Amino acid sequence: MIDDRRGAQLVAALGSVRARLADACIAVGRDTRDVTLVAVTKTYPASDVATLQELGVLDVGESRDQEAKGKVAELGSSAQAGVLRWHFVGRVQTNKAASIAGYAHAVHSIDRLDAVAAFAKAVVERATPLEAFVQVSLDGDPARAGAVGGEVLRVAEAVAAAPNLLLRGVMAVPPIAADPEAAFARLAEISASVRAEHPEAVAISGGMSADLEQAVRHGATHVRVGTALLGRREPTFS
């Protein structure tokens, strides 16, 4: 029974996000079951993850390996037994690949060949494949994460060829101040080019708290929502 103040906040926020997703899907004739809500819980405590789990949110996103590992350990059996699905959504450091592969079900941010190689090595003995999204750059800025131009297909090919990596599709974060409508339209085009070579790579991870409607309109299958679910407050983790 969720009756504490924080629990009530999460109940209300989740209801609002689910309503937005439903409305966005209805507007373009999509089934809401085709869009996975990934609750991005970075900087928030494991207790929030547990509450969201009780409310039926089983896909959890984290962007820092150390923080994610701590939450997996704190949540114990529910995290370990496959009840929760952990998505790593932050920028990948190759020296963290083995650690991330130890708990993550999916990595949304593989954007270069050395990262593919690191994860391919890390997952050799996994019982199930690690799902992988190729993060793409929508503005070509080399200072930002994301594969650029033809590198997208090269990274996708490397993922598809790696045993125990499962190419799911593409991911992107719209550039700051960019029109999200145009950004997600471009991501849909890139997704189509990847699917032309890899028909199984149907997933699109795009859309966050401020722009999930535009992402859904352009085919997003995963939306990564933090602020709209968990609110803005002082971070729990330094």
Side-chain angles (χ1 to χ4, degrees), residues 109-135:
S109 46
I110 296 179
D111 63 354
R112 57 196 191 279
L113 294 176
D114 65 340
V116 178
F119 277 105
K121 181 179 179 181
V123 300
V124 169
E125 297 184 0
R126 272 179 66 110
T128 57
L130 176 65
E131 299 177 13
F133 293 74
V134 177
Q135 182 174 356

Side-chain angles (χ1 to χ4, degrees), residues 177-197:
D179 173 12
E181 198 76 47
F184 292 123
R186 176 59 181 147
L187 182 59
E189 293 173 355
I190 295 170
S191 172
S193 69
V194 172
R195 290 199 312 275
E197 300 292 331

Side-chain angles (χ1 to χ4, degrees), residues 49-82:
V49 178
T51 299
L52 289 170
Q53 179 184 346
E54 190 173 342
L55 295 170
V57 178
L58 303 181
D59 291 88
V60 181
E62 290 288 336
S63 63
R64 294 178 60 190
D65 174 55
Q66 183 177 1
E67 181 180 338
K69 284 194 301 184
K71 290 177 186 175
V72 170
E74 185 173 344
L75 291 165
S77 60
S78 66
Q80 301 289 353

Side-chain angles (χ1 to χ4, degrees), residues 11-33 35-38 180-181 184 206-218 220 223-232:
V11 168
L14 178 59
S16 176
V17 170
R18 283 176 168 163
R20 288 176 61 191
L21 279 174
D23 288 345
C25 287
I26 290 169
V28 291
R30 296 184 62 190
D31 190 327
T32 56
R33 292 172 295 184
V35 181
T36 298
L37 172 61
V38 179
E181 198 76 47
F184 292 123
M208 296 182 288
S209 294
D211 53 22
L212 65 85
E213 288 86 359
Q214 293 93 330
V216 168
R217 186 153 49 244
H218 291 284
V223 292
R224 311 176 307 275
V225 179
T227 300
L229 273 178
L230 295 136
R232 294 186 183 277

Side-chain angles (χ1 to χ4, degrees), residues 92-179:
V92 168
Q93 295 176 284
T94 56
N95 65 343
K96 298 289 187 179
S99 179
I100 294 167
Y103 58 82
H105 291 78
V107 177
H108 290 234
S109 46
I110 296 179
D111 63 354
R112 57 196 191 279
L113 294 176
D114 65 340
V116 178
F119 277 105
K121 181 179 179 181
V123 300
V124 169
E125 297 184 0
R126 272 179 66 110
T128 57
L130 176 65
E131 299 177 13
F133 293 74
V134 177
Q135 182 174 356
V136 305
S137 169
L138 295 176
D139 62 0
D141 184 351
R144 288 166 49 86
V148 177
E151 194 67 15
V152 174
L153 287 176
R154 286 189 284 273
V155 174
E157 180 63 35
V159 171
N164 243 10
L165 288 180
L166 178 63
L167 178 63
R168 290 297 315 278
V170 296
M171 181 274 255
V173 178
I176 297 172
D179 173 12

